[in-house]
Amino acid sequence: AHRAIAAPLQRPALRLRETLVRLGLAHVRSPARVRGHALDRARVLPLVTRGDPRMLIARTIQPDSDLFLGVLVDCSGSMSGANLDRARRFAVLVAEAARGLTGVDARFFGFTDKVIYDAGDARRCAVSSLRATDGNNDAAALTHVASVAMASHRKSKLLVMISDGLPTEC
């Protein structure tokens, strides 16, 4: 079921993948430089004995992803039909884009008012199995996924909720 949804989404998934790769920036330290911001103490001896001027540490900024991406799909009864199909397609698009990226952890969840479904990660995404039933509890789903995100060791955290915006009456 996942492959059937993912096949027509390959081009948009590649474009999203390029964005995910360039999402973060990191300072990379380069020792033994003539220009830099800090003294490399290990290079003092070569400076004194051989006159080697490369004694500074430079920092260069390079693209480096370090992202936790949590996707929540509303599985309430109001999402049945075309709404849930679009939500599944978007989640599969994100899964295909994040699959195999070392700097991105993507997790997928479905939720109703009674249950939060763990729909896997980018390698084993089960979003295509989600069905529309019951009501919705947005706050509980966001709290659960936020706790999963906080347990991640990634620097950046992004939560995406896909919903039609119709709450269950209290």
Side-chain angles (χ1 to χ4, degrees), residues 21-73:
V21 167
R22 291 181 282 114
L23 198 57
L25 296 176
H27 291 281
V28 178
R29 295 171 54 102
S30 302
R33 300 287 180 217
V34 177
R35 293 175 44 189
H37 73 283
L39 177 67
D40 188 356
R41 293 181 191 267
R43 301 288 304 167
V44 172
L45 184 62
L47 171 69
V48 173
T49 58
R50 288 177 276 172
D52 188 0
R54 298 175 297 169
M55 63 176 193
L56 296 176
I57 299 173
R59 284 189 308 186
T60 58
I61 297 176
Q62 294 179 349
D64 185 28
S65 300
D66 196 19
L67 174 70
F68 174 86
L69 179 59
V71 179
L72 295 98
V73 177

Side-chain angles (χ1 to χ4, degrees), residues 98-121:
R99 177 180 289 149
L101 288 179
T102 57
V104 178
D105 292 338
R107 293 284 308 272
F108 300 91
F109 299 90
F111 68 94
T112 65
D113 59 346
K114 297 178 178 79
V115 180
I116 298 173
Y117 302 103
D118 187 351
D121 57 4

